[in-house]
Amino acid sequence: GAVVSQHPSRVICKSGTSVKIECRSLDFQATTMFWYRQFPKQSLMLMATSNEGSKATYEQGVEKDKFLINHASLTLSTLTVTSAHPEDSSFYICSASPRALQETQYFGPGTRLLVL
Amino acid sequence: EDKVVQSPLSLVVHEGDTVTLNCSYEVTNFRSLLWYKQEKKAPTFLFMLTSSGIEKKSGRLSSILDKKELFSILNITATQTGDSAIYLCALTTGGTSYGKLTFGQGTILTVHP
């Protein structure tokens, strides 16, 4: 149980385009989902907290107009990187907290984004 | 501001060695400390610690928390090449940050045959 999927697992896009990444909790309902970014050999940096049916809460320094988050249902959150640039290239990981176990986060497999 | 510091940042050992990874923290409204292992993809959960002095064990891995001195250690005995990974320590806190994980920088462990 407690599986989180992400799609796509890898994406290459041209500079200026937008990329949407999906995060799904497959066998549980997630009231809260989190989006992280990770650079090579570094730790995870929290970008935003996404609550179902409400606006996401962004961490300091993360541009909300650049990284659009939508949490439309209890099993799906999406992150859209708008007008992507090469410096947005990174590993993006989502996690989801089940309703009953809000201190436990289950991580998705991550999405590797390369912007050319 | 909440802070989580891991040490060492990287460690190279040989199979069979025992390693101790450290995680110290400064947070307000502590709730729990978690350890994760990350190989190529997303982190996998190892332990969650909430009480001081109670060791959690899983096979060759064990962890303990000291809430007075504000640190935790993760021990790995008889290391194997499959233990090579980034080990991440993270905290959860209460209040408005409830549910958020604050990660340390991670320790990169490399186990040579």
Side-chain angles (χ1 to χ4, degrees):
Chain A
V3 177
V4 176
S5 71
Q6 270 184 253
H7 178 80
S9 59
R10 188 182 294 265
V11 58
I12 301 172
C13 69
K14 289 184 180 176
S15 195
T17 59
S18 292
V19 174
K20 183 188 277 190
I21 302 170
E22 290 186 352
C23 176
R24 290 181 189 274
S25 56
L26 296 185
D27 49 4
F28 65 96
Q29 291 187 329
T31 46
T32 308
M33 289 183 168
F34 301 87
W35 286 96
Y36 297 86
R37 185 173 179 175
Q38 186 177 33
F39 292 106
K41 303 216 171 168
Q42 292 188 28
S43 190
L44 279 71
M45 184 194 81
L46 180 65
M47 298 174 67
T49 303
S50 163
N51 291 300
E52 186 262 339
S54 63
K55 285 186 182 177
T57 304
Y58 290 82
E59 295 299 299
Q60 200 170 6
V62 178
E63 297 174 60
K64 62 180 184 192
D65 294 329
K66 175 129 184 98
F67 299 100
L68 300 178
I69 290 171
N70 184 275
H71 192 155
S73 77
L74 284 170
T75 58
L76 173 64
S77 176
T78 60
L79 168 69
T80 302
V81 183
T82 60
S83 187
H85 288 106
E87 57 266 28
D88 298 325
S89 300
S90 191
F91 191 51
Y92 292 88
I93 305 177
C94 74
S95 70
S97 282
R99 272 193 203 226
L101 298 167
Q102 287 194 329
E103 286 188 57
T104 304
Q105 289 188 28
Y106 297 97
F107 287 85
T111 296
R112 194 161 298 283
L113 170 64
L114 177 61
V115 184
L116 302 174
Chain B
E1 189 184 323
D2 297 338
K3 199 189 289 188
V4 182
V5 177
Q6 289 185 247
S7 64
L9 294 181
S10 67
L11 191 53
V12 179
V13 299
H14 289 281
E15 270 192 321
D17 289 349
T18 293
V19 297
T20 299
L21 310 184
N22 302 290
C23 176
S24 63
Y25 61 90
E26 291 175 29
V27 293
T28 50
N29 209 354
F30 172 92
R31 286 192 65 90
S32 62
L33 184 146
L34 297 94
W35 284 97
Y36 288 88
K37 176 182 181 182
Q38 185 180 24
E39 296 173 88
K40 299 268 189 237
K41 295 196 172 179
T44 52
F45 172 78
L46 294 175
F47 299 111
M48 182 165 85
L49 303 156
T50 54
S51 302
S52 261
I54 299 173
E55 186 184 51
K56 294 229 173 168
K57 213 166 158 57
S58 176
R60 296 177 293 104
L61 277 67
S62 64
S63 184
I64 198 160
L65 173 67
D66 185 329
K67 287 165 78 172
K68 187 179 170 194
E69 301 296 328
L70 307 183
F71 76 93
S72 173
I73 59 171
L74 175 68
N75 274 323
I76 309 175
T77 58
T79 51
Q80 301 170 358
T81 54
D83 295 327
S84 296
I86 302 175
Y87 289 84
L88 297 165
C89 170
L91 289 181
T92 66
T93 57
T96 54
S97 302
Y98 187 74
K100 265 174 60 169
L101 284 174
T102 301
F103 281 91
Q105 322 93 299
T107 294
I108 302 172
L109 174 65
T110 305
V111 182
H112 287 309

